[in-house]
Amino acid sequence: MLHCLIIGAAGMLGDGLAKRLVKDGQIGGRKVGRMTLFDIVAANTPSAEEIGVTVETGDISLPETATDLIASRPDVIFHLAAIVSGEAERDFEKGYRINLDGTRHLFEAIRKAHEADGYCPRVVFTSSLAVFGSPLPDVIGDDYIITPRSSYGTQKAIGELLLADYSRRGFLDGIGIRLPTICIRPGKPNAAASGFFSGILREPLAGLPATLPVDTSVRHWFASPRAAIGFMAHAAAVSSELLTERRNMTMPGVSATVADEIEALRTTAGEAAVALIRHEKDPAIEAIISTWPQAFDAGQALSLGFEADESFEAIVRAYLEDYAPAVERAS
Amino acid sequence: MLHCLIIGAAGMLGDGLAKRLVKDGQIGGRKVGRMTLFDIVAANTPSAEEIGVTVETGDISLPETATDLIASRPDVIFHLAAIVSGEAERDFEKGYRINLDGTRHLFEAIRKAHEADGYCPRVVFTSSLAVFGSPLPDVIGDDYIITPRSSYGTQKAIGELLLADYSRRGFLDGIGIRLPTICIRPGKPNAAASGFFSGILREPLAGLPATLPVDTSVRHWFASPRAAIGFMAHAAAVSSELLTERRNMTMPGVSATVADEIEALRTTAGEAAVALIRHEKDPAIEAIISTWPQAFDAGQALSLGFEADESFEAIVRAYLEDYAPAVERAS
């Protein structure tokens, strides 16, 4: 019976992951018997008849928090907790405290438990495309250099390095997964530079207007929340024997232009939805987006069985099924 | 008048750098007026008539040490201090404490000084080829991924990431230089896996026998101590305007096989010296060396004016001039 710990369980992906584990009931054929859901605020408790679920709250940047979380020796640890990109850029100290020190305290707590009794959990660490920085090739391979251009990306890149070293040492059995940009992100519009990628679909699907601040030729790398949650669940199940020393890898995704997004909206929701998109360039956002990756060759992840969404239209359909079942569909 | 701080000044390269700065008397056309030489043990004081030299000792892994070193606001900081690869692998905690925490404390002390009064020194950080891990191409370009296979390499890679982020933020003006394997390293033989690269030359040049544990076809990437010290001095002088966001770069070197080394020994010291090399394979060392880089395309560093030794023979001649003037040479 596996005990799974989700650190960062109150977020959109953490919440979805908890529900997914309840639904699956197992990881790699081993039954999930217990889940601990940790975050700075209380996570939702999924309804689970056969799984004992504990919700805990605390500050992951304090060393004792990780020690407490490790005391019960969870078999699988999903480490999703992070201050997001914008906040890590605005508040330098907080970003390093949560994203770097928090991760290091967790790995150190695991190392000390390993030295005490041989403990060696599978650790799934969610990294980000933000580890990549321009200049970038059109298609980024698994061998391309990591040169982040944000403090958030730097902190994630350092987490990847630590994960690899602690795994190599045998203290933990880590796998780092760089998630594509999540689209369609459910919920309300936000101020992130990437917000429009979801907004130009989510808002029109709800009959609301949305602003597109970049050209329709802009290309980026996407995964649905469903696919991202699938990556995490699969990462927990990948056999240790298949993992090389390269423990961190880019997840497969859908490379799509804004025009592809709009076409998928047209197919799923009709011309009236497309008409709700207002084109209004924002040079500041255009400048930021111009440095972002467009596509990857995620060969290592594909060889390990990670599966992307089938198309951008599949991304929109997944959103409608998972988050907006009440929305009327075209045709 | 520049004030230069060398952290790690008691080591072979730190000692050579201090002498070089005294000899040059300037960095990028600005006069060196003061030098602080810091290490865990007292560094040698170079004889300097026109430069005030202060020797300080302390533990760089303590936050207050960095704060004290920054109090006098040195204009140029050379951060060479590190626990070496073998020791960082044997003593996990010590390696992270010195190589990661020590570097971070230094950068944090600089950031706090920056926030107090706008301080922004040039920081020259010596990194290592150990940031690279197999599988590696025959010639490694500036865009190749960093996947260290040692804790030392991991710590250096994290130092590079921090240097880049603190530079991007404007807290410091950093440049990270990955030094080639130093050859011929003066002094006594040591137990490092790389020791033979120097040993098979240094010992025969002194009339002593040496053991070669690998095949003569083994290829690696080298710089003389003179060239490495030149890299550091040049890194201090590179104009900030020429530095992109990619603040860390591989230094140019000489790609040479062991056979090339032996040929250079033959040219400089004759057949009798070559005859002192005993060929005795060591599978453990062969296995380690097989994962090491063979050659680099150090385009970024070359474009910034860093200069490698001219040939392997030049490396041997530099050693004879700098460290073994009494050795008789074959004519």
Side-chain angles (χ1 to χ4, degrees), chain A residues 224-249:
Chain A
S224 65
R226 186 193 289 181
I229 290 162
F231 297 150
M232 293 188 267
H234 185 68
V238 169
S239 166
S240 303
E241 285 99 67
L242 298 177
L243 293 172
T244 64
E245 293 225 11
R246 296 218 177 157
R247 293 283 180 147
N248 300 286
M249 60 200 82

Side-chain angles (χ1 to χ4, degrees), chain A residues 185 189-200 202 211 289 292:
Chain A
R185 183 175 280 280
N190 65 34
S194 62
F196 72 87
F197 285 124
S198 285
I200 60 166
R202 184 187 56 233
T211 301
I289 302 290
W292 287 10

Side-chain angles (χ1 to χ4, degrees), chain A residues 88-93 96-97 100-101 104 108 111-112 115 133-136 142-155 157-158 161-162 164-166 168-169 171 178 245-246, chain B residues 88-93 96-97 100-101 104 108 111-112 115 133-136 142-155 157-158 161-162 164-166 168-169 171 178 245-246:
Chain A
E89 203 63 19
R90 277 192 301 280
D91 190 336
F92 185 85
E93 292 186 3
Y96 274 90
R97 195 169 65 240
L100 173 50
D101 295 331
R104 195 165 167 213
E108 277 293 276
R111 179 174 72 85
K112 282 168 188 161
E115 290 179 348
S134 63
L136 291 169
D142 284 329
D143 287 339
Y144 198 72
I145 195 167
I146 302 291
T147 56
R149 293 179 73 141
S150 66
S151 292
Y152 175 81
T154 302
Q155 292 145 12
I158 293 173
L161 286 163
L162 292 172
D165 199 38
Y166 280 67
R168 189 185 59 81
R169 291 280 194 151
F171 303 145
R178 293 181 204 118
E245 293 225 11
R246 296 218 177 157
Chain B
E89 203 62 17
R90 278 191 303 278
D91 190 337
F92 185 86
E93 292 185 2
Y96 274 89
R97 194 169 65 241
L100 173 50
D101 295 331
R104 197 166 164 208
E108 276 292 278
R111 180 174 71 87
K112 281 168 188 161
E115 290 179 349
S134 63
L136 292 169
D142 283 329
D143 287 339
Y144 198 72
I145 194 167
I146 303 289
T147 55
R149 293 179 72 141
S150 66
S151 292
Y152 175 81
T154 301
Q155 292 144 13
I158 293 174
L161 286 164
L162 292 172
D165 198 39
Y166 279 67
R168 189 183 60 80
R169 291 279 195 152
F171 304 143
R178 294 181 203 118
E245 292 225 11
R246 296 219 177 157

Side-chain angles (χ1 to χ4, degrees), chain B residues 71-106:
Chain B
S72 60
R73 303 290 189 268
D75 304 289
V76 179
I77 301 173
F78 298 92
H79 179 33
L80 286 59
I83 294 298
V84 298
S85 182
E87 191 172 1
E89 203 62 17
R90 278 191 303 278
D91 190 337
F92 185 86
E93 292 185 2
K94 187 176 182 184
Y96 274 89
R97 194 169 65 241
I98 306 282
N99 295 351
L100 173 50
D101 295 331
T103 297
R104 197 166 164 208
H105 292 325
L106 173 65

Side-chain angles (χ1 to χ4, degrees), chain B residues 52-73:
Chain B
V53 179
T54 311
V55 174
E56 295 187 20
T57 60
D59 179 353
I60 193 65
S61 73
L62 303 174
E64 57 267 29
T65 303
T67 305
D68 290 348
L69 286 170
I70 298 311
S72 60
R73 303 290 189 268

Side-chain angles (χ1 to χ4, degrees), chain A:
Chain A
M1 299 277 275
L2 290 175
H3 174 196
C4 298
L5 165 63
I6 302 176
I7 300 174
M12 185 263 291
L13 292 178
D15 184 64
L17 175 62
K19 289 188 180 122
R20 166 75 185 256
L21 294 177
V22 168
K23 180 169 157 248
D24 289 355
Q26 55 82 34
I27 291 173
R30 293 175 65 195
K31 195 164 159 41
V32 176
R34 186 174 164 196
M35 278 205 304
T36 301
L37 306 181
F38 177 88
D39 211 314
I40 188 87
V41 296
N44 291 324
T45 309
S47 51
E49 289 176 12
E50 296 182 41
I51 300 177
V53 179
T54 311
V55 174
E56 293 187 20
T57 60
D59 179 353
I60 193 64
S61 73
L62 303 174
E64 57 268 30
T65 304
T67 305
D68 290 347
L69 286 171
I70 298 311
S72 60
R73 303 290 190 268
D75 304 289
V76 179
I77 300 173
F78 298 92
H79 179 33
L80 286 57
I83 294 299
V84 297
S85 183
E87 190 172 0
E89 203 63 19
R90 277 192 301 280
D91 190 336
F92 185 85
E93 292 186 3
K94 186 175 183 186
Y96 274 90
R97 195 169 65 240
I98 305 280
N99 295 350
L100 173 50
D101 295 331
T103 298
R104 195 165 167 213
H105 292 325
L106 174 65
F107 294 175
E108 277 293 276
I110 295 169
R111 179 174 72 85
K112 282 168 188 161
H114 172 83
E115 290 179 348
D117 58 20
Y119 177 58
C120 186
R122 168 60 52 90
V123 175
V124 177
F125 173 66
T126 52
S127 186
S128 163
L129 304 186
V131 301
F132 295 101
S134 63
L136 291 169
D138 289 345
V139 178
I140 303 166
D142 284 329
D143 287 339
Y144 198 72
I145 195 167
I146 302 291
T147 56
R149 293 179 73 141
S150 66
S151 292
Y152 175 81
T154 302
Q155 292 145 12
K156 285 293 186 186
I158 293 173
E160 289 190 5
L161 286 163
L162 292 172
L163 185 85
D165 199 38
Y166 280 67
S167 295
R168 189 185 59 81
R169 291 280 194 151
F171 303 145
L172 51 81
D173 180 17
I175 177 164
I177 58 175
R178 293 181 204 118
L179 299 179
T181 290
I182 302 299
C183 192
I184 302 170
R185 183 175 280 280
K188 298 206 176 293
N190 65 34
S194 62
F196 72 87
F197 285 124
S198 285
I200 60 166
L201 304 174
R202 184 187 56 233
E203 304 311 313
L205 284 170
L208 299 170
T211 301
L212 173 64
V214 303
D215 194 80
T216 56
S217 65
V218 164
R219 180 177 285 281
H220 194 46
W221 189 243
F222 300 103
S224 65
R226 186 193 289 181
I229 290 162
F231 297 150
M232 293 188 267
H234 185 68
V238 169
S239 166
S240 303
E241 285 99 67
L242 298 177
L243 293 172
T244 64
E245 293 225 11
R246 296 218 177 157
R247 293 283 180 147
N248 300 286
M249 60 200 82
T250 302
M251 289 294 101
V254 174
S255 176
T257 62
V258 170
D260 295 331
E261 290 196 71
I262 293 172
E263 194 49 39
L265 179 65
R266 182 175 285 114
T267 305
T268 50
E271 204 60 55
V274 173
L276 288 166
I277 301 172
R278 187 163 50 95
H279 296 247
E280 188 181 344
K281 296 277 173 69
D282 181 330
I285 291 182
E286 285 185 305
I288 294 170
I289 302 290
S290 71
T291 67
W292 287 10
Q294 299 182 11
F296 291 85
D297 175 357
Q300 187 183 359
L302 290 170
S303 77
L304 290 172
F306 289 95
E307 285 181 19
D309 300 280
E310 280 179 20
S311 64
F312 205 91
E313 193 183 315
I315 287 178
V316 177
R317 294 202 183 278
Y319 172 77
L320 293 170
E321 290 168 22
D322 294 346
Y323 297 99
V327 170
E328 275 186 37
R329 316 214 183 142
S331 86

